Amino acid sequence: MKKKMLLLNTTVLLGLGGVLSTPTYASTIQDMESQKSQIQNQRQDVQSNIKAASDELTRLQAEQDQMKAQLERLTIAEEENNKKAQKTEADIKETSKQVEQLEKEIKLLQEKLEKRNDILKDRARSLQESGGNVEYLQVLLGSSSFGDFVDRALAVSTIVDADRGILKETKNMQDELKTKQADVKSKLASLEDMKAELDEMTVQLAAQKKQKDALAKELKDKEAKNEELKASLQAKDSSLANEQSTLEQNIKDQKAAEEAARKAAEQAAKEAAKKAVEQAQKAAAAPAEKADSSSAKAEAPKASSNDVAPTSAPAPKASNVVTVGNRWIGNSAYVFGGGRSQSDISHGLFDCSSFVHWAYSQVGVNLGPLGSVSTETLKHAGTQVSSSQMQPGDLVFFDTYKKDGHVGIYVGGGKFIGAQSSTGVAIANMSSGYWKQKFNGRVVRI
């Protein structure tokens, strides 16, 4: 009896073992899981590269936006400077016409005066022949030039009233014309100086704009290449995502099929065992025992937490006249006569003297009316000091298109900050090169 029961149990166990043995496709699932892990790693690398490309695009876009703003400022500055140059050229032409007309008038006057000179000399000779006043004759005939003749004739007290009136009128006309001529020539010289600076400035601005255009194009090219790279990476990531999704679905299907096969085998084994037991019971005519087994699985929930600590950094702020203008470096343009309205200041359009006025106003120092500020007013705004005693914050002057034609603020280390025609607001070296040659030694302490 015992031998029959042992044989029965052995038969049942062997049957269950054959039905529930591990399928041959288990290694396929393991391979797919390995492939899935590899794809996930590849996607992480690709996504990291996509983020880097996006960050670079953001940086390039910010740089390009800044460059576009500077190009707009330079365009405005160029237009304003061209307008001023055209006006200056028109003023020069008009003044030149005035000078030419005055010279013609002076020439005609000189011809008239020469004729009067001949008439007066003839009258002097007549006086001599008729025994006239000796003093009058000596003065008239002893003059070295016509101007001297007029001056001498007016000095003679015995000159006849008619002659004196003619001479005084002539003298006044001559003096007036000379004064006008001197004034017009002075104005013409000043306008020519202004035009010389405007011409130089226009050339420098054109060169700067060309350089900025080239840089903007370079940035645009970089942006296009980065966009192309980002698109390529995104396409690769999408392909990997599809491959990963397919693998996950295959693994899911494979596991479902495996689970169904396991349950079917388990059910078949139970039925086979039951049938074997029944047959054994019949054969042995004894009760059979059934053995049941069960298993339990428990899963413990996993908890995870992420701590995020916000950070912030205070923005630096300028606090004195030496550094307050740094905000305009790379964000400004030079306009002759600019910086004297809120609109100009808001757009960063300065000339040298208006920038100095603005910088000092930011630290509470008023350098006079903004509308009339110039290098001439600034050089009298404080105390003259020796260049050997120069210190940060002092005003420094340069002879450019005229004496004291440019002004800046000394920052130390042989450098100054100012609005230059070629750069807008910038820090320049005055210890060597162009600005060393132009520095005239004038230093004003406010």
Side-chain angles (χ1 to χ4, degrees), residues 141-208:
L141 299 176
S143 59
S144 60
S145 65
F146 181 67
D148 184 36
F149 169 78
V150 174
D151 292 336
R152 283 171 175 263
L154 287 171
V156 177
S157 59
T158 57
I159 191 172
V160 295
D161 291 338
D163 291 345
R164 182 179 295 277
I166 293 172
L167 289 168
K168 280 187 176 180
E169 181 182 353
T170 303
K171 177 66 174 175
N172 290 338
M173 291 174 62
Q174 187 178 32
D175 291 343
E176 182 181 0
L177 287 172
K178 286 182 178 179
T179 300
K180 287 183 178 179
Q181 185 182 37
D183 290 342
V184 172
K185 285 185 177 180
S186 175
K187 184 178 180 181
L188 180 60
S190 175
L191 289 171
E192 287 175 346
D193 286 341
M194 290 171 60
K195 186 179 183 301
E197 179 170 327
L198 285 169
D199 288 343
E200 179 183 1
M201 178 178 53
T202 301
V203 171
Q204 291 172 335
L205 284 173
Q208 187 180 31

Side-chain angles (χ1 to χ4, degrees), residues 120-137:
L120 289 172
K121 286 183 178 181
D122 288 342
R123 294 183 65 181
R125 291 190 186 94
S126 297
L127 283 172
Q128 184 180 21
E129 292 173 357
S130 62
N133 186 284
V134 175
E135 179 186 5
Y136 182 51
L137 294 172

Side-chain angles (χ1 to χ4, degrees), residues 235-268:
K236 184 176 181 180
D237 181 63
S238 177
S239 175
L240 288 171
N242 291 334
E243 189 176 346
Q244 178 180 334
S245 177
T246 301
L247 277 172
E248 288 174 347
Q249 185 61 44
N250 290 341
I251 291 171
K252 183 179 179 180
D253 293 344
Q254 188 72 12
K255 286 183 177 180
E258 184 178 323
E259 180 65 15
R262 186 189 66 79
K263 287 182 179 181
E266 184 178 298
Q267 183 63 32

Side-chain angles (χ1 to χ4, degrees), residues 425-444:
V425 176
I427 294 177
N429 188 355
M430 59 183 289
S431 60
S432 64
Y434 176 82
W435 292 112
K436 180 180 180 180
Q437 296 174 1
K438 297 298 181 180
F439 178 52
N440 60 19
R442 187 188 298 279
V443 180
V444 173

Side-chain angles (χ1 to χ4, degrees), residues 407-427:
V407 63
I409 302 171
Y410 187 64
V411 300
K415 297 180 179 180
F416 74 97
I417 186 170
Q420 280 71 256
S421 61
S422 59
T423 60
V425 176
I427 294 177

Side-chain angles (χ1 to χ4, degrees), residues 335-410:
V335 173
F336 193 88
R340 287 164 179 78
S341 68
Q342 189 55 50
S343 176
D344 279 359
I345 293 173
S346 299
H347 289 87
L349 306 177
F350 295 98
D351 66 8
C352 62
S353 53
S354 65
F355 170 73
V356 169
H357 186 284
W358 174 87
Y360 269 93
S361 70
Q362 299 306 294
V363 294
V365 178
N366 186 356
L367 295 182
L370 176 60
S372 59
V373 66
S374 66
T375 54
E376 288 297 314
T377 63
L378 290 177
K379 73 181 185 182
H380 300 297
T383 304
Q384 302 277 337
V385 297
S386 170
S387 60
S388 62
Q389 298 176 338
M390 188 163 49
Q391 63 186 30
D394 290 344
L395 304 187
V396 287
F397 291 79
F398 305 84
D399 293 343
T400 51
Y401 74 103
K402 67 175 184 177
K403 185 171 180 59
D404 297 317
H406 188 70
V407 63
I409 302 171
Y410 187 64

